[in-house]
Amino acid sequence: MLVVQDVASDPRLGGVGDAAAETGIEAAIAVPLLAGHDVIGLLGVFPARGRVLTENESALLSALAVQLAVAVQNAQLHERAKQLGEERELALDAERAASKRVRALYEISRSFAQSLSLDATLDAVASTVVDVLGVDIALIRMPDERREWLMPRAIKVAEPRLEKAARSIMYKPQPFGAHPVQLLYRDGEPFQITRQTVEEIGGPATALLPFLERGWTGAVVPIATPAEVLASLSIISVQPGTPVTAETIDQATAIGGQAALAIDNARLYQQQKQFSDTMQRSLLPHSVPELEGLELGDAYESSARVEVGGDVYDFMELGDGRLAVTLGDVTGHGIEAAADMAMAKFVFRSLAREHPEPADFLQSANEVVVGEIAPGKFITLVYLVIDGGKGEVAAAGAGHPAPRIVAADGSVTGLETRGLVLGIEPGQHYEEVRATLDIGGAVVLYTDGVIEARIGGELYGVERLDRVLSEQRHPPSPASWRRLLLDDCRAFARGELTDDCAVVVVKRTA
């Protein structure tokens, strides 16, 4: 305890004497606040000059200093704990933000892995942006083929009750030549959605003006690879209290850059898929022959994969009025499969007139294919000749699933054709089977993509095929029949076929 009777004359307080005099302090008593061996504060008492503390008063000050030391130390610990808590919350917020960004990348990557659809990928990106950034609306636009308009491709609205209004305002094409849009696509520069930028873009973007006056905020950022801006991402907050900030724009730009790879891959996939489908369909019949007593329907459904499939079929009217039908499947995918499909089509067209009977046709076809097809590849094929007037069906098969004969009463039987696939060994002989087709009955040819459609480990299978054919034995036409069959197959596989499917239906009408 330090006791100073005369502050003005005490040499230890020479530096503060004048200040003490101004405040009327004449004497001072100082008691240190001790926490262990550390002085954490000082208890000061200022009695009148000459006033001497009693023993009890000194003891009281000492006890009070001890209590104050404990209180001060607790307060310091509380402040430190509070500071550490705030630092911890900031760290947790940063961790949550990082976790959201990682989750955003995961969701985008997962959507791309699950489906190569460009539309599905764009929807996933828009949904992820709304979730991660906490904005109310995310809209993705892409240029049209002539780069004259920005076309809306995906929108996500956080509040379902706002979705209809948001779509009516924002989900519209915008001019590609507007100055802010040009800067975004040329230089990758994001821009804020303000009165000025909206007016520069023009209609229909000007529909946003009344809402900007009510406190909506937003920005448009690029979705870009290092080489190209692929799309624009518009983000909107409809709540004045949580505006789109510079930080929000930076985060959206980062997510756009990370999502660009998935979008670019999906875009390239879509282009390749369209090219592949065009090649595939160019090898399929563009029309069906019209024969008395027979009605034909055909359908082809490409798989979810990008490669050209191997399904091929064709029809031909023979010189005696009968109908020749063939349907097959070439091994492999891609350009080589397309070449083999073209060969199979040529073989059918060139041999069917000279070798119209099924067994003879397949034997001759095998000799050609053996000499033309690459080692290790082959073609499964079924070939039928149908007499519409007599209802006679003759068939032979080379490793292909058996056609189904659907009688007028709904019973279904298989034309169990057996023989080695084409292209493996020369000198093969093929068994010919025959059946009668009643008036109102039909013969159904199909590729293995139909019966091998699956959900989990369960196959569509021949039994389900026969059941569907039997239950729907009176469709209006073969065209509706084959469509119904493919629709059921796709529904069984929950919307996505893993292999190409082709179906040909020939119905005897008279």
Side-chain angles (χ1 to χ4, degrees):
M1 182 182 298
L2 174 65
V3 179
V4 179
Q5 290 294 339
D6 187 351
V7 171
S9 61
D10 194 310
R12 293 172 297 180
L13 301 177
V16 297
D18 293 340
E22 289 179 7
T23 58
I25 296 175
E26 299 177 320
I29 299 172
V31 184
L33 306 182
L34 296 174
H37 299 290
D38 298 324
V39 176
I40 62 173
L42 192 70
L43 171 60
V45 178
F46 308 101
R49 185 169 52 190
R51 169 89 155 72
V52 179
L53 297 181
T54 66
E55 185 178 345
N56 288 338
E57 288 173 336
S58 296
L60 178 60
L61 280 178
S62 297
L64 184 57
V66 171
Q67 295 297 320
L68 286 174
V70 173
V72 169
Q73 186 178 39
N74 287 339
Q76 289 177 333
L77 291 174
H78 173 73
E79 288 297 323
R80 180 57 179 159
K82 183 179 178 182
Q83 181 183 358
L84 290 173
E86 290 174 351
E87 292 174 354
R88 180 174 176 272
E89 283 301 317
L90 290 175
L92 287 175
D93 287 343
E95 185 177 342
R96 292 187 192 103
S99 176
K100 274 192 171 183
R101 287 192 292 271
V102 170
R103 189 170 74 252
L105 295 178
Y106 169 74
E107 290 297 330
I108 293 168
S109 301
R110 184 174 64 87
S111 71
F112 176 60
Q114 289 181 343
S115 173
L116 291 175
S117 163
L118 177 59
D119 290 338
T121 302
L122 293 174
D123 286 340
V125 173
S127 298
T128 301
V129 167
V130 168
D131 178 46
V132 172
L133 300 184
V135 295
D136 297 294
I137 304 171
L139 170 66
I140 298 176
R141 290 187 174 95
M142 297 184 74
D144 64 3
E145 292 182 359
R146 302 181 65 177
R147 297 181 82 82
E148 294 179 349
W149 294 91
L150 278 180
M151 306 301 297
R153 299 296 301 270
I155 189 171
K156 175 64 177 178
V157 182
E159 173 54 61
R161 292 175 297 180
L162 183 61
E163 181 167 358
K164 184 176 180 180
R167 280 183 174 272
S168 66
I169 298 167
M170 300 187 62
Y171 204 77
K172 296 177 180 179
Q174 283 187 353
F176 186 75
H179 181 65
V181 175
Q182 286 293 298
L183 287 179
L184 184 139
Y185 274 85
R186 187 184 65 203
D187 302 330
E189 292 185 8
F191 61 89
Q192 290 187 315
I193 299 175
T194 63
R195 169 176 286 276
Q196 178 181 347
T197 56
V198 165
E199 289 177 345
E200 287 181 4
I201 294 171
T206 49
L208 278 173
L209 287 175
F211 300 95
L212 295 177
E213 293 173 357
R214 297 178 190 175
W216 286 26
T217 56
V220 182
V221 305
I223 295 178
T225 66
E228 180 185 8
V229 176
L230 305 175
S232 66
L233 169 63
S234 301
I235 52 175
I236 297 284
S237 172
V238 304
Q239 304 172 49
T242 55
V244 171
T245 63
E247 182 182 359
T248 311
I249 295 173
D250 289 342
Q251 291 175 341
T253 303
I255 292 175
Q258 293 159 346
L261 178 61
I263 292 175
D264 194 31
N265 286 338
R267 184 188 63 163
L268 293 174
Y269 165 82
Q270 178 173 280
Q271 293 172 351
Q272 293 173 12
K273 189 76 169 74
Q274 290 172 346
F275 174 75
S276 298
D277 286 346
T278 300
M279 289 189 62
Q280 173 92 35
R281 294 181 188 280
S282 69
L283 296 172
L284 300 178
H286 300 296
S287 62
V288 296
E290 296 182 2
L291 284 81
E292 185 177 352
L294 295 177
E295 188 176 357
L296 280 72
D298 63 301
Y300 167 75
E301 187 85 16
S302 63
S303 74
R305 296 177 305 198
V306 65
E307 300 93 349
V308 176
D311 291 359
V312 60
Y313 59 88
D314 206 350
F315 320 99
M316 179 184 294
E317 182 180 0
L318 300 176
D320 56 7
R322 293 182 299 169
L323 174 69
V325 183
T326 190
L327 184 144
D329 191 358
V330 175
T331 54
H333 295 85
I335 302 302
E336 291 183 359
D340 290 339
M341 288 171 59
M343 177 183 64
K345 185 181 180 76
F346 171 77
V347 167
F348 172 71
R349 286 280 167 174
S350 61
L351 294 180
R353 295 192 187 279
E354 297 180 8
H355 305 275
E357 301 308 320
D360 186 25
F361 171 84
L362 283 185
Q363 181 177 344
S364 301
N366 182 61
E367 298 303 315
V368 175
V369 174
V370 165
E372 296 294 333
I373 202 166
K377 300 188 68 178
F378 56 85
I379 300 174
T380 71
L381 199 73
V382 63
Y383 174 90
L384 283 78
V385 176
I386 305 171
D387 188 322
K390 299 178 182 179
E392 295 176 349
V393 179
H400 198 83
R404 319 312 289 171
I405 298 290
V406 185
D409 63 2
S411 59
V412 181
T413 56
L415 273 174
E416 300 298 333
T417 57
R418 293 180 176 83
L420 185 66
V421 296
L422 304 182
I424 300 296
E425 289 288 343
Q428 293 298 308
H429 295 278
Y430 293 88
E431 176 185 355
E432 190 169 291
V433 296
R434 295 183 176 272
T436 299
L437 195 60
D438 299 331
I439 294 176
V443 58
V444 180
L445 294 78
Y446 55 95
T447 53
D448 58 6
V450 174
I451 56 176
E452 292 179 2
R454 67 177 64 231
I455 180 66
E458 182 182 0
L459 293 175
Y460 188 86
V462 176
E463 291 183 3
R464 183 183 178 95
L465 171 65
D466 287 351
R467 184 169 65 252
V468 171
L469 294 174
S470 178
E471 292 172 352
Q472 304 293 333
R473 62 182 182 274
H474 296 304
S477 67
S480 61
W481 206 343
R482 47 83 175 169
R483 192 71 258 169
L484 181 146
L485 182 58
L486 282 187
D487 287 346
D488 186 75
C489 184
R490 190 188 307 100
F492 174 82
R494 296 185 180 175
E496 192 167 279
L497 300 172
T498 57
D499 198 2
D500 294 354
C501 295
V503 175
V504 174
V505 179
V506 182
K507 182 179 180 180
R508 186 184 179 199
T509 58

